[in-house]
Amino acid sequence: GHAAIPDQNVDPVVTLCHVVSALQSIVSRETSPRASAVVSVTTLGAGGVFNVLPDEATAAGTFFALNDNDFARIKRRIEEVVTGVAAAFGCSASVDFAPDGRVPYPVTSNDPATWRIFRAAAAEVVGDAVVRECDTVMTGEDFSFLARAVPSNYALLGAYNPSVGATHALHSPNFVMDESVLAVGARIHAAVARRALSTHAAAESLHRKDSEVSTAKDGDADAYQGRDQGGGGIARGEL
């Protein structure tokens, strides 16, 4: 419709502005101050002529949380806010949480035992003084899918180096990668592999020794019972 007669039309631009504003209350008024969450609207689109109210308006963005419950709640509330505010202004709206076939990323959480192996290996390569636990970050990560499948550790490799201009943050148009750190990362990976394998081998050796002691002390009947209990443990783990 013509911009001069908004009373005879429904304005999706004004509607979208109110939607963007309302989305911010999901974090500021519905999420505990002790928790961390982010809802960011990063792109807006509507119309192409200055004196015509467009038929539709679009927005895109991203949201983050540090646990599955908050993530699910925020996802649900985004859809409720978008459709509810749009309806209040006489518009219809929908939310696509999987644009281009992408799916939401789960939270990335490090396995404590794997982290200890990594920390020792990294200290072996670069020295203990520069290996430290960093603050929680709110960005999403592909690695989260792997960490859900097997015990994992996600680490950040520092690449700040003023001598080559590597001083700008990720996603900055001025970002420069100091590729010399890639060799450091490769050495850390190798050290982690060695430590993980040796840790696993030591655990297996200790387990075998315990089994031998049990067999010698308790006799064949109890030794067989021990193997049966071990099988039951594996079954419970799979469930």
Side-chain angles (χ1 to χ4, degrees):
H2 199 289
I5 49 174
D7 57 304
Q8 299 180 28
N9 299 281
V10 175
D11 189 348
V13 174
V14 171
T15 302
L16 182 60
C17 291
H18 281 272
V19 166
V20 173
S21 180
L23 286 173
Q24 304 312 304
S25 67
I26 295 175
V27 173
S28 66
R29 288 297 176 266
E30 298 182 16
T31 302
S32 170
R34 295 182 297 276
S36 294
V38 175
V39 175
S40 292
V41 178
T42 55
T43 68
L44 301 173
V49 180
F50 74 93
N51 62 343
V52 177
L53 297 178
D55 292 333
E56 64 178 15
T58 61
T62 186
F63 65 100
F64 305 89
L66 293 182
N67 63 70
D68 292 339
N69 290 336
D70 279 343
F71 189 87
R73 176 183 58 81
I74 291 171
K75 181 181 178 182
R76 172 178 55 81
R77 289 295 292 139
I78 287 174
E79 186 158 21
E80 292 173 348
V81 168
V82 169
T83 56
V85 172
F89 281 83
C91 291
S92 61
S94 62
V95 183
D96 182 4
F97 288 105
D100 303 321
R102 296 193 300 271
V103 297
Y105 290 8
V107 175
T108 304
S109 298
N110 284 345
D111 172 67
T114 309
W115 154 245
R116 288 191 290 271
I117 292 173
F118 174 86
R119 196 189 197 294
E124 173 188 324
V125 174
V126 298
D128 187 69
V130 296
V131 181
R132 58 184 182 273
E133 294 188 51
C134 63
D135 293 333
T136 300
V137 294
M138 297 302 296
T139 51
E141 174 54 49
D142 296 344
F143 189 79
S144 59
F145 294 102
L146 178 62
R148 289 294 175 100
V150 296
S152 303
N153 179 78
Y154 182 79
L156 302 176
L157 182 62
Y160 183 86
N161 186 352
S163 67
V164 297
T167 59
H168 297 279
L170 185 66
H171 295 317
S172 165
N174 299 314
F175 177 76
V176 173
M177 175 66 186
D178 178 14
E179 296 187 357
S180 67
V181 303
L182 298 178
V184 177
R187 292 200 299 273
I188 292 175
H189 271 288
V192 168
R194 288 195 302 269
R195 282 186 173 270
L197 290 172
S198 62
T199 299
H200 178 73
E204 285 292 310
S205 176
L206 181 60
H207 176 72
R208 285 195 298 270
K209 289 180 180 178
D210 288 343
S211 297
E212 290 169 1
V213 170
S214 176
T215 301
K217 179 179 179 181
D218 300 328
D220 291 339
D222 287 339
Y224 175 81
Q225 183 182 15
R227 288 197 297 272
D228 185 56
Q229 290 170 347
I234 293 172
R236 289 194 295 274
E238 290 174 347
L239 292 174

